[in-house]
Amino acid sequence: MGIEGIGARVVRKEDKRFITGAGRYVDDMVVPGMKHAAFVRSPHAHAQIKKIDVKKAQAMPGVIGVLTGKELKADGIGNLICGWMIHSKDGSPMKMGGWSPLAVDKVRYVGDAIAIVVAETKGQARDAAEAVEITYKELKAVVDATKALQKGAPQVHAEADDNLIFDWEIGDAKTTDAAIKAAAHVTRMKIVNNRLVPNAMEPRAALGHYDKAEDHFTCWTTSQNPHVARLVMSAFYNVAPENKLRVIAPDVGGGFGSKIYIYPEEIVCLWASKKTGVPVKWVADRTESFLTDAHGRDHVSTVEMAFDKNNKITGFKVDTIANLGAYMSLFSSCVPTYLYATLLSGQYNIPTIHANVRTVYTNTAPVDAYRGAGRPEATYLLERTMETAARELGVSPAELRRTNFITSFPHQTPVIMNYDAGDYGASLDAATKASDYAGFAKRKAAAAKQGKLRGIGMSCYIEACGIAPSAAVGSLGAGVGLWESAEVRVNAVGTIEVLTGSHSHGQGHETTFAQLVTQRFGVPLDSVSIVHGDTDKVQMGMGTYGSRSGAVGMSAIAKALDKVEAKAKKIAAHLLEADEGDIVIENGEVKVAGTDKSLPWFQVALAAYTAHNLPAGMEPGLKETAFYDPANFTFPAGCYICEVEIDPETGTTDIVQFVAADDFGNIINPMIVEGQVHGGIAQGIGQALLEGAHYDASGQLLTASYMDYTMPRADDLPSFKVSTSNTPCPSNPLGIKGCGEAGAIGSPPAVINAITDALGITDIAMPASPSTVWAAIRATKKH
Amino acid sequence: MYSVNYHRAASVADAAKLVKSGDAKLLSGGMTLIPAMKTRLAAPSDLVDLSRIKELQGVKVSGKTVTIGAATTHYDVANDEKLKKACPALAHLASLIGDPAVRHKGTIGGSVANNDPAADYPAALLALGATIITNKREIAAAKFFTGLFETALKDGEIIIAVSFTAPAKAAYEKFRNPASRYAIVGVFVAKGKDGVSVAVTGAGDDGVFRSKEIEAALAKNFAASALDGVKVPAKTLMTDLHASAEYRANLIAVMAKRAVAAANA
Ligand SMILES: Cc1cc2nc3c(=O)[nH]c(=O)nc-3n(C[C@H](O)[C@H](O)[C@H](O)COP(=O)(O)OP(=O)(O)OC[C@H]3O[C@@H](n4cnc5c(N)ncnc54)[C@H](O)[C@@H]3O)c2cc1C
């Protein structure tokens, strides 16, 4: 409806302040008396701490305090937790090694925090941090998960023998093995999913302020979920009880998952503020971000996919080793399990699936959810395998997929998920048409004449977002429920504030959420404000990740709007002496249907607050709260096609076209959705062609700056051709599925399928950099 | 960054005096030195800023002789109309350095003094047989670049300008490191009255060098086809995260071929 309601391409309200440099980030916050912190970090990947001497540092100019883990422990500050319990297949709980916010007797990765220095200036804090003298006994390090599992490998945590955190399975091993045995064809592959550094534009930051008079803490932090941060910091880390701890996540410059977790620094800044008596601010530099932000992916898998003689998949077997780094980050355990293996059916009818996952400690940065979280890993396995199988079977990759598509809904997969709606054929058709898939052979021949190698690759992804039904995730080990809350406050003059537990850090909530309200009441977008990111304003919320803010966050707002609408109608019916059922709200007016009787919206709001003439027994005011707990996950899906041209002399890959056909359910703002898809594809192409975190054998991160870690840049990317063909999601009131991660999930296999097609090879490692591609070409020539 | 004293030099003589104080360092565009200070890898006590000294600015062309002041930015080299006529290859090279911000601040003197093994200018100066003019002496490029981040400069010696004779033909082809966009391999070919010279940056394990194999092939026939089948030995080339020595050897031949084609175009 209208130019500002659902479906309108409204320009983002928040962009004015971002583009003009008027955004307010944690580093912009200034509190009277505020001082600056620097962390002392381990230069070693694995070492015992023999002695920490802070005397020299304490005497440095400007230093207010130097605090260590011993003092932190003495004050009862707890270890960091992992919020999702996974049990191994033998029934034993996952092996949690202790993660002290400041390491006490052992460091386990380069960047592990050991002490905090608080000083008058940032420079002085850093100078003094260098003067803290630590005696280490270096230990052998292990960075590779497969090697870490071997007998005799360095042991990262005493709690975990062979560094094994859990050995988990899902699905049916027996029937899957039988399917593979009986198969007409089996495609087998070893597939590596490379490790990535999230690289949010704004580095992590925390400002801790202890107010002695009130005995109250405030924490400004770069968080995707400030309420979860408050909950965890009060319930597990003993920083302060919830009523004495306010967490504010103001403008946040990107997260991609890396700002979901509660890290040592925010806990330590709060504690240090009380200890030193001054507000304490810490802002990471880029090196700290590379070293200590939770990384993403890092899986090594073997797969076997069985087909019958009609090319129907009869079984899929997966064995995965997932590197979780030195400590278990907040949601690290659910990423390679319930967010991953439950998606292994993809868009396909697969009668039986079995996946085994071993998670492993290594001397590297913790690994947790990163844009897509588990679903990119699942999609990469499936879609690399499907493409390879099509080549082995001598059928068109598009046809092999079509042969195996799920076409009736709801569909129960063998791995928990119950797909509620979709039309995979429609996305495949749209993508093959937009890319002129049929005309590829001609383009390949033309490229060959120019000495170039052309290839085309496809990826039909499905993912699960809108996380998640609380009871369901609770039964699977989650420590929290994954509902969302909303409060709609209509002011006396009819303007509206929506308080949401979702958190915007690039997603454009201030615009899309307001469009929902505009649609409902016909009030101008400008008269609706979205309030988020402050535990003192919003009562409770679960935050933004897993593409959940549309499907779950906006559904909660819709529910609260239902209540406001009902009450407004009651008031209007009373004032207009009409039947409640005849009242309609349109274009900012409250009308009696079929008559010319109406009231402007603001007058209904005013009546609610003057309370001079309300229906008998009605409370004054117009403000409603709702909690929405989703009935199911949502299942965005789509088809991506990538076409590449490779220069065989240099190994350079040029993406000549990239087509994305997505099904996101109903769409609130197509422009914002396209932006999310563009960003996701950019990151997916980044993973496939450019990005990769590398540690050397001693545990030093070799890619710890932009000199060596390749971020995708505009000139690395083609102009994307994106479209949507949508089946509304039946499980939530708005029919929304979610679009935040799809691009990053669907694109890497499409790119690698295109490259392997161009080179006539089965596999190539990501990132497929020019040197990697050149080496692959050379290897084929040697044969 | 550690705290540091900043001095703005009014002249070369002034700078030469100032640079003697404490553990001082010369500052030109700051595009290499400042990042190193921010990560605390460099810690000078004093900075002597050369960037406002008039006599270090600008490109001069008189006849075949080209002289470029040390504090001339990459942007100014890339866009100088006289240079685009006299030696378009060098202007093109400057346009490939870093990004616009880097090109507007970074200078030829700073780049040459730093002698980063992946920097672009050293390949050009070596292939062009340029002279590096300092406040003390003149040094031939062949003697100037002595190793990784090493030059013939003495402590406190200041580069004033670089100078060379415009070649008959020249071109530069650069294969960028995907992350830093410095050269993984950069090849500058020049054909002048002393014959053909080919210098390679980004690849050598001891910094910029001249490729004997390619020069020999081109001496007979300055054509891209002369390089068909030429093998560049990988033994003295670097291997790192982004490229093996073998890959670099291949790229040297490929970039040389493309440079010759461009020079002849
Ligand atoms: C993002 C980025 C990308 C870049 N990409 C490239 C690239 O693609 N190719 C490339 O070649 N370079 C690249 N550079 C480096 C850039 O070209 C620098 O400008 C150059 O290397 C140094 O020049 P400067 O004027 O900035 O020197 P400064 O950083 O000021 O100084 C560098 C060193 O030279 C010394 N010095 C400076 N001037 C003189 C002088 N007149 N006499 C004696 N010593 C002197 C200084 O004391 C210092 O040790 C990049 C830099 C950045 C930040």
Side-chain angles (χ1 to χ4, degrees):
Chain A
M1 186 230 266
I3 50 163
E4 295 186 328
I6 291 177
R9 293 179 167 266
V10 180
V11 171
R12 300 196 338 161
K13 291 170 81 171
E14 47 271 78
D15 281 348
K16 189 176 164 198
R17 73 172 186 278
F18 295 151
I19 291 169
T20 57
R24 301 248 295 149
Y25 300 88
V26 173
D27 198 23
D28 295 316
M29 302 299 156
V30 176
V31 177
M34 184 180 87
K35 308 296 177 196
H36 301 269
F39 282 85
V40 180
R41 298 185 184 279
S42 173
H44 306 297
H46 200 192
Q48 279 170 357
I49 300 173
K50 289 289 173 202
K51 195 174 153 217
I52 304 176
D53 188 347
V54 302
K55 262 193 253 80
K56 220 162 103 191
Q58 236 144 11
M60 301 272 288
V63 171
I64 292 158
V66 184
L67 304 169
T68 64
K70 242 187 212 147
E71 293 154 271
L72 184 101
K73 294 269 148 194
D75 284 353
I77 301 294
N79 279 347
L80 280 83
I81 60 151
C82 177
W84 197 304
M85 172 52 76
I86 299 289
H87 287 86
S88 285
K89 53 194 180 196
D90 67 6
S92 62
M94 62 192 189
K95 309 283 190 294
M96 277 276 286
W99 185 3
S100 171
L102 294 175
V104 177
D105 40 35
K106 198 178 173 196
V107 287
R108 294 183 174 84
Y109 74 106
V110 173
D112 216 347
I114 299 165
I116 183 175
V117 178
V118 180
E120 291 293 333
T121 70
K122 205 166 168 172
Q124 288 172 331
R126 290 185 177 197
D127 290 347
E130 283 176 9
V132 173
E133 290 171 347
I134 302 174
T135 317
Y136 297 98
K137 178 172 183 270
E138 278 186 68
L139 303 170
K140 261 202 136 88
V142 62
V143 300
D144 177 289
T146 308
K147 284 187 187 148
L149 280 175
Q150 287 164 5
K151 284 263 166 288
Q155 187 157 346
V156 182
H157 288 278
E159 293 85 349
D161 287 337
D162 301 329
N163 298 307
L164 180 67
I165 302 170
F166 57 74
D167 183 357
W168 173 90
E169 66 177 346
I170 191 169
D172 192 325
K174 249 204 212 126
T175 55
T176 308
D177 285 339
I180 290 166
K181 225 171 169 185
H185 177 83
V186 181
T187 294
R188 294 188 165 87
M189 298 184 78
K190 180 181 175 200
I191 295 174
V192 176
N193 203 296
N194 46 332
R195 180 187 273 250
L196 304 169
V197 182
N199 278 303
M201 198 181 286
E202 180 202 19
R204 290 191 294 115
L207 165 55
H209 179 200
Y210 175 67
D211 181 337
K212 197 171 171 192
E214 303 278 346
D215 186 29
H216 181 276
F217 289 88
T218 305
C219 178
W220 287 263
T221 182
T222 46
S223 174
Q224 301 179 213
N225 44 352
H227 291 87
V228 176
R230 183 173 76 152
L231 170 69
V232 171
M233 286 199 280
S234 74
F236 297 97
Y237 307 147
N238 306 320
V239 171
E242 275 171 300
N243 62 318
K244 290 181 181 297
L245 174 59
R246 176 182 184 187
V247 178
I248 302 171
D251 284 335
V252 173
F256 313 111
S258 71
K259 292 171 182 167
I260 299 172
Y261 328 115
I262 291 70
Y263 289 88
E265 290 87 355
E266 44 267 33
I267 304 165
V268 175
C269 282
L270 282 166
W271 166 74
S273 174
K274 183 170 182 178
K275 233 25 207 176
T276 58
V278 295
V280 174
K281 182 195 273 183
W282 165 79
V283 180
D285 62 23
R286 191 50 69 181
T287 309
E288 284 179 299
S289 300
F290 272 105
L291 293 174
T292 69
D293 288 3
H295 292 178
R297 320 266 198 269
D298 205 343
H299 283 197
V300 178
S301 301
T302 56
V303 303
E304 294 173 276
M305 189 178 273
F307 293 87
D308 68 13
K309 60 183 188 329
N310 300 316
N311 296 339
K312 292 250 186 204
I313 306 169
T314 53
F316 189 37
K317 190 178 164 90
V318 172
D319 183 72
T320 294
I321 296 172
N323 189 343
L324 294 195
Y327 300 102
M328 290 189 80
S329 175
L330 193 62
F331 289 115
S332 58
S333 56
C334 68
V335 176
T337 52
Y338 291 110
L339 294 179
Y340 162 66
T342 55
L343 274 305
L344 285 172
S345 195
Q347 300 186 352
Y348 312 113
N349 256 308
I350 305 182
T352 177
I353 295 173
H354 181 257
N356 196 96
V357 178
R358 283 171 289 168
T359 52
V360 184
Y361 285 122
T362 60
N363 297 111
T364 63
V367 178
D368 207 323
Y370 166 64
R371 202 169 192 171
R375 291 98 86 209
E377 294 90 314
T379 302
Y380 193 65
L381 293 191
L382 267 166
E383 293 307 296
R384 288 287 299 113
T385 308
M386 284 301 274
E387 198 92 359
T388 306
R391 291 173 196 163
E392 289 175 356
L393 293 165
V395 297
S396 143
E399 277 326 298
L400 184 65
R401 286 174 171 96
R402 210 184 291 276
T403 304
N404 286 285
F405 276 161
I406 295 160
T407 49
S408 77
F409 298 89
H411 173 88
Q412 177 62 53
T413 72
V415 278
I416 298 180
M417 291 302 180
N418 190 293
Y419 301 165
D420 52 5
D423 184 347
Y424 311 137
S427 299
L428 180 68
D429 289 343
T432 48
K433 197 160 163 242
S435 63
D436 184 21
Y437 196 70
F440 171 71
K442 241 191 225 154
R443 299 193 293 276
K444 186 176 173 82
K449 280 207 188 110
Q450 309 292 317
K452 296 283 165 66
L453 306 168
R454 262 213 186 210
I456 195 162
M458 175 180 282
S459 154
C460 295
Y461 76 91
I462 189 164
E463 62 132 333
C465 46
I467 51 176
S470 298
V473 295
S475 75
L476 300 176
V480 289
L482 290 169
W483 44 265
E484 197 44 85
S485 81
E487 186 178 321
V488 175
R489 293 183 190 159
V490 182
N491 298 317
V493 291
T495 56
I496 297 170
E497 279 136 24
V498 177
L499 285 71
T500 170
S502 298
H503 184 277
S504 192
H505 36 277
Q507 294 84 350
H509 295 171
E510 288 169 46
T511 308
T512 44
F513 288 13
Q515 283 179 262
L516 209 57
V517 180
T518 291
Q519 172 80 23
R520 189 69 76 102
F521 300 134
V523 295
L525 202 67
D526 225 26
S527 66
V528 184
S529 295
I530 307 300
V531 178
H532 69 101
D534 185 341
T535 60
D536 261 15
K537 293 181 180 164
V538 180
Q539 185 228 332
M540 186 57 178
M542 297 312 298
T544 289
Y545 39 84
S547 305
R548 67 191 303 275
S549 300
V552 190
M554 274 204 265
S555 291
I557 296 172
K559 252 182 102 179
L561 288 172
D562 288 345
K563 296 185 192 177
V564 170
E565 184 180 340
K567 186 168 181 184
K569 281 182 172 172
K570 274 202 182 86
I571 296 169
H574 178 74
L575 295 174
L576 296 166
E577 296 174 338
D579 196 49
E580 204 185 308
D582 292 334
I583 304 287
V584 291
I585 308 180
E586 256 174 32
N587 295 327
E589 283 196 291
V590 189
K591 302 180 189 166
V592 183
T595 73
D596 61 358
K597 286 208 278 184
S598 77
L599 285 172
W601 165 256
F602 83 87
Q603 262 185 19
V604 178
L606 194 62
Y609 287 95
T610 59
H612 295 162
N613 184 16
L614 289 177
M618 181 184 274
E619 283 179 17
L622 195 51
K623 182 193 102 165
E624 299 288 351
T625 300
F627 285 70
Y628 173 75
D629 199 353
N632 191 0
F633 290 86
T634 66
F635 298 97
C639 178
Y640 289 3
I641 292 175
C642 175
E643 191 167 327
V644 300
E645 198 169 274
I646 294 169
D647 174 358
E649 288 189 328
T650 62
T652 305
T653 299
D654 186 19
I655 296 182
V656 287
Q657 71 161 338
F658 198 100
V659 169
D662 293 292
D663 177 353
F664 294 137
N666 290 337
I667 286 174
I668 307 295
N669 184 326
M671 187 194 68
I672 287 181
V673 167
E674 283 164 20
Q676 289 287 317
V677 175
H678 284 199
I681 295 173
Q683 275 174 313
I685 290 175
Q687 167 159 31
L689 290 184
L690 306 163
E691 299 185 49
H694 290 275
Y695 284 93
D696 70 11
S698 75
Q700 294 295 331
L701 184 61
L702 299 178
T703 50
S705 85
Y706 295 126
M707 291 297 280
D708 290 305
Y709 188 93
T710 313
M711 288 299 283
R713 290 177 238 204
D715 65 355
D716 293 315
L717 306 168
S719 232
F720 309 125
K721 287 187 215 162
V722 304
S723 68
T724 57
S725 53
N726 301 309
T727 59
C729 173
S731 332
N732 63 59
L734 296 166
I736 293 178
K737 292 184 181 175
C739 65
E741 295 158 293
I745 293 167
S747 50
V751 177
I752 298 299
N753 286 340
I755 294 176
T756 52
D757 179 49
L759 302 185
I761 58 174
T762 314
D763 194 25
I764 191 163
M766 295 193 290
S769 65
S771 71
T772 303
V773 170
W774 178 80
I777 294 171
R778 205 162 72 138
T780 58
K781 283 193 185 140
K782 275 190 183 158
H783 289 304
Chain B
M1 193 183 288
Y2 299 99
S3 64
V4 65
N5 303 311
Y6 172 87
H7 312 271
R8 183 177 293 168
S11 64
V12 173
D14 188 27
K17 221 183 285 151
L18 284 165
V19 78
K20 292 204 179 100
S21 54
D23 189 12
K25 251 188 167 318
L26 299 167
L27 176 70
S28 191
M31 291 292 97
T32 293
L33 185 52
I34 300 288
M37 289 171 67
K38 277 160 85 176
T39 51
R40 298 186 160 221
L41 296 171
S45 63
D46 296 72
L47 285 179
V48 180
D49 188 351
L50 306 174
S51 65
R52 320 276 174 121
I53 301 175
K54 273 262 152 40
E55 53 191 296
L56 299 182
Q57 305 281 350
V59 180
K60 274 188 231 119
V61 180
S62 78
K64 289 258 153 220
T65 306
V66 179
T67 308
I68 305 175
T72 311
T73 63
H74 308 327
Y75 177 85
D76 285 341
V77 172
N79 291 284
D80 189 89
E81 292 303 327
K82 300 169 297 273
L83 183 66
K84 277 187 184 169
K85 283 210 188 83
C87 185
L90 189 67
H92 175 63
L93 174 148
S95 78
L96 300 175
I97 297 174
D99 51 49
V102 170
R103 292 196 288 276
H104 275 91
K105 287 297 291 176
T107 66
I108 191 167
S111 179
V112 170
N114 194 51
N115 193 20
D116 187 311
D120 297 298
Y121 276 127
L125 299 196
L126 189 57
L128 292 167
T131 302
I132 288 88
I133 303 162
T134 77
N135 60 338
K136 301 256 168 66
R137 56 192 166 138
E138 298 193 351
I139 313 167
K143 294 242 163 78
F144 183 85
F145 301 111
T146 53
L148 305 175
F149 300 100
E150 299 282 339
T151 68
L153 286 175
K154 298 252 160 60
D155 255 6
E157 189 172 359
I158 300 170
I159 300 176
I160 308 292
V162 302
S163 166
F164 60 91
T165 306
K169 287 179 174 182
Y172 181 64
E173 284 290 326
K174 174 179 184 178
F175 193 83
R176 290 184 164 102
N177 176 316
S180 71
R181 303 234 168 151
Y182 277 69
I184 273 187
V185 163
V187 177
F188 199 102
V189 299
K191 187 170 191 276
K193 63 176 188 336
D194 300 331
V196 176
S197 82
V198 177
V200 179
T201 188
D205 63 6
D206 198 29
V208 64
F209 68 96
R210 280 172 66 174
S211 171
K212 296 281 163 280
E213 294 76 16
I214 291 177
E215 287 182 356
L218 292 175
K220 284 173 242 146
N221 176 15
F222 192 73
S225 59
L227 295 177
D228 286 341
V230 164
K231 287 256 167 314
V232 175
K235 218 174 69 209
T236 55
L237 302 184
M238 285 191 282
T239 287
D240 57 28
L241 208 55
H242 301 281
S244 63
E246 290 74 25
Y247 180 52
R248 284 190 160 94
N250 166 69
L251 285 178
I252 291 170
V254 173
M255 292 300 121
K257 222 189 248 185
R258 292 182 184 179
V260 173
N264 283 328

